[in-house]
Amino acid sequence: MASAGLPFDNSYARLPERFYARLAPTPVTAPRLVKLNEALCRHLGLDPAELASPEGVAMLAGNRVAPGSEPIALAYAGHQFGNFVPQLGDGRAILLGEVVDSDGRRRDIQLKGSGRTPFSRGGDGRAAVGPVLREYIVSEAMFALGIPTTRSLAAVTTGEPIWRDGELPGAVLTRVASSHIRVGTFQFFAARGDAEALRLLADHVIARHYPEAKESAEPYRVLFERVVERQARLVAQWLLVGFIHGVMNTDNCTISGETIDYGPCAFMDAYNPETVFSSIDQQGRYAYAHQPSIAHWNLARFGETLIPLLAEDGDKALAIANEVLPTFRGHYVGALIGGLRRKLGLFTEEEADGALAQDLLNAMTDGRADFTLVFRRLGDAAADPSADASVRGLFQEKPEAFDAWVARWRERLAREPQDGAGRRAAMHAANPIYIPRNHRVELALAAAAEREDYAPFEELVAALAKPFEERPGLEAYAEPPPEDQRVYRTFCGT
Ligand code: AMP
Ligand code: MG
């Protein structure tokens, strides 16, 4: 890798010019590397020392276009809070190019916050250090939790202030994704009646993400089936860790099935299915428990774009789309129930398991119990019933509902094969102890933005890198927020 170059191979930039705009990132005055993800660097086959060198940092800041990079801003459309916008596009992001990682998988390398593009509309094309670090923290936490996600390779401050509510330090995130193709990318061409582009895009996606579809007599049907399945499983995984995306617009819904665009996202502390954090989601459209139905809605929009490809006859095409879309429910429920069983230490299947899990969740809602800690401590209780008290103590109200529930759970566990220690280990591998709790995230972002103190950010990132492994010294990261640090609203990354 000479002179901090990357072994680029840019398949998206070989698609027709109407898929993107070609332009370089806008240089910044004083780039400074504040975080480099060395493990991810190595996974991508890149040398961390070279990326951290002045030339490498210049590339990560958008000041230098490395050899082989063909920078482009991608065109896409999208439904934002239900309203269709025919042209969004990368308004503050530039795809530098693609590299093939050590697993042989193609990865986009994208700068976010790298200046204006033809898709910027009214925006400045920039990002503030807080939202950049939030995306870094939460995306890497999701990865460590085993949830499909875009990743964060680096964060660079620009030395330039940007204006939001007040003046904030500017920053650029380097994001890595299996692609940046969204439901909104298909909508962009569907809205223009550009069937040729739709076919090229679908073929590109099949080659890149779903090569098995190519072998089928109905490749576009298989494409739709696979995307429905991946999104259904993804949203189940979100629910199983208490994650709320916050802005599930169709432009933030990937075709790869990776979580993307960490804006006003957050993890719940106390369990409540109606939880909403995003300050811009005033109707609660994207509340925790609404996420499956919204994912389904987004996939219906995806299916509509595929109509011209699914069959020559329009009625036939519609019938195919209407056969595939309902498969969402089975994938979603299967993934959710399977995940809940693992969270409860159940490795055999019984009909009533779903109701058992739901009754615990209901008791948690009534008791305002901490979602993450209830499941984590249930793992301890699985090995040692005297630990029940530590779970019970998490129910701020009606703890007797937990008492009734735990007796039923024990009856159910009696029909499971493992011993207590084995069950505890299995449950701890399914129930994280460290999640990116909002109050911790806020403290880390404030220290970075207000005092250029990156130590809390580094500590938090390190804790979250092994979310299932309890370690001494990290107790504070497992704790729910004290009353005065509780976060009720999160603000968009823009
Ligand atoms: P998001 O809510 O981050 O998914 O962004 C929605 C759309 O707004 C995308 O097209 C973004 O590129 C664009 N956008 C967000 N923030 C900015 C900004 N500061 N400057 C230009 N475009 C932006
Ligand atoms: Mg977006």
Side-chain angles (χ1 to χ4, degrees):
M1 199 181 68
S3 64
L6 269 62
F8 285 116
D9 174 46
N10 308 320
S11 64
Y12 206 82
R14 292 194 284 270
L15 288 166
E17 298 282 329
R18 61 192 189 281
F19 281 62
Y20 47 75
R22 291 189 188 273
L23 81 162
T26 309
V28 299
T29 46
R32 178 180 156 222
L33 183 65
V34 296
K35 183 66 182 171
L36 183 64
N37 188 337
E38 298 197 0
L40 181 56
C41 274
R42 290 192 201 92
H43 190 74
L44 292 170
L46 311 177
D47 177 358
E50 287 197 34
L51 271 185
S53 73
E55 276 192 312
V57 176
M59 183 188 83
L60 298 171
N63 285 15
R64 170 178 167 269
V65 175
S69 169
E70 296 171 85
I72 53 177
L74 274 52
Y76 53 84
H79 276 91
Q80 298 192 305
F81 293 89
N83 304 308
F84 186 64
V85 184
Q87 181 167 310
L88 290 165
D90 288 333
R92 54 167 170 169
I94 301 266
L95 177 62
L96 296 180
E98 301 156 29
V99 300
V100 176
D101 74 14
S102 55
D103 296 329
R105 286 178 306 186
R106 183 173 291 277
R107 288 283 181 268
D108 275 3
I109 312 285
Q110 189 208 55
L111 301 185
K112 184 170 173 182
S114 51
R116 288 180 54 81
T117 78
F119 305 108
S120 296
R121 299 174 292 157
D124 61 2
R126 292 295 181 190
V129 70
V132 162
L133 297 184
R134 175 185 278 111
E135 175 153 354
Y136 192 108
I137 293 165
V138 184
S139 65
E140 287 301 305
M142 293 287 269
F143 170 74
L145 287 164
I147 299 175
T149 179
T150 65
R151 296 197 60 189
S152 297
L153 181 65
V156 171
T157 50
T158 61
E160 294 174 4
I162 64 165
W163 280 267
R164 293 295 181 258
D165 276 342
E167 202 178 276
L168 295 169
V172 178
L173 179 79
T174 306
R175 179 158 77 180
V176 175
S178 69
S179 83
H180 282 86
I181 303 166
R182 310 137 191 272
V183 168
T185 317
F186 281 82
Q187 290 181 298
F188 180 84
F189 296 112
R192 286 159 181 74
D194 189 343
E196 188 206 1
L198 276 173
R199 189 174 298 271
L200 286 169
L201 180 63
D203 290 343
H204 176 87
V205 164
I206 287 171
R208 190 161 174 179
H209 298 296
Y210 304 100
E212 70 276 15
K214 211 152 62 187
E215 313 306 322
S216 161
E218 297 177 282
Y220 305 115
R221 178 200 183 105
V222 175
L223 167 64
F224 191 29
E225 287 171 352
R226 292 292 185 273
V227 176
V228 165
E229 179 175 355
R230 288 220 195 154
Q231 281 289 336
R233 290 180 180 283
L234 178 67
V235 81
Q237 286 187 279
W238 290 356
L239 264 57
L240 290 165
V241 295
F243 177 74
I244 303 165
H245 182 284
V247 203
M248 288 179 70
N249 294 332
T250 57
D251 53 301
N252 292 338
C253 178
T254 59
I255 298 300
S256 67
E258 288 178 342
T259 312
I260 198 170
D261 266 10
Y262 294 87
C265 61
F267 281 67
M268 293 193 293
D269 294 301
Y271 181 78
N272 186 325
E274 293 308 315
T275 306
V276 181
F277 285 106
S278 168
S279 60
I280 55 170
D281 188 5
Q282 284 169 6
Q283 314 293 318
R285 178 181 169 91
Y286 301 139
Y288 171 80
H290 299 188
Q291 297 182 112
S293 62
I294 291 291
H296 182 274
W297 191 89
N298 288 345
L299 291 163
R301 305 288 79 76
F302 179 48
E304 285 165 5
T305 71
L306 295 179
I307 295 294
L309 305 180
L310 287 170
E312 274 186 28
D313 174 66
D315 290 341
K316 173 94 193 299
L318 198 60
I320 293 172
N322 283 327
E323 273 169 40
V324 174
L325 187 61
T327 62
F328 178 89
R329 194 175 157 74
H331 293 305
Y332 164 69
V333 172
L336 187 73
I337 298 283
L340 286 168
R341 280 202 180 92
R342 279 191 296 283
K343 288 180 84 69
L344 291 175
L346 304 177
F347 297 88
T348 64
E349 295 183 11
E350 289 187 13
E351 190 65 31
D353 293 343
L356 183 70
Q358 189 58 53
D359 290 345
L360 175 62
L361 295 173
N362 293 344
M364 286 166 63
T365 310
D366 291 342
R368 289 181 286 118
D370 188 83
F371 179 74
T372 304
L373 284 185
V374 165
F375 283 103
R376 182 71 184 189
R377 292 190 189 166
L378 272 181
D380 299 322
D384 172 11
S386 75
D388 282 6
S390 77
V391 192
R392 189 182 203 270
L394 296 167
F395 289 74
Q396 301 180 50
E397 277 166 58
K398 299 196 211 158
E400 57 288 355
F402 172 72
D403 299 335
W405 182 86
V406 84
R408 283 168 58 205
W409 180 57
R410 286 239 146 69
E411 272 172 41
R412 174 68 183 83
L413 290 183
R415 296 190 294 278
E416 286 286 309
Q418 294 93 347
D419 62 4
R423 182 174 301 127
R424 177 180 189 272
M427 287 179 72
H428 279 184
N431 293 309
I433 179 150
Y434 309 117
I435 55 155
R437 293 188 183 267
N438 301 313
H439 67 300
R440 283 280 154 194
V441 173
E442 294 298 335
L443 288 173
L445 303 194
E450 292 162 17
R451 303 190 296 280
E452 291 187 54
D453 173 8
Y454 291 90
F457 164 78
E458 289 288 351
E459 246 182 65
L460 181 58
V461 167
L464 296 170
K466 292 179 188 165
F468 300 102
E469 197 180 301
E470 188 167 4
R471 283 157 286 159
L474 297 181
E475 293 76 13
Y477 293 99
E479 288 300 314
E483 188 61 51
D484 64 328
Q485 284 182 32
R486 208 161 281 169
V487 176
Y488 297 98
R489 282 282 167 268
T490 51
F491 297 90
C492 207
T494 51

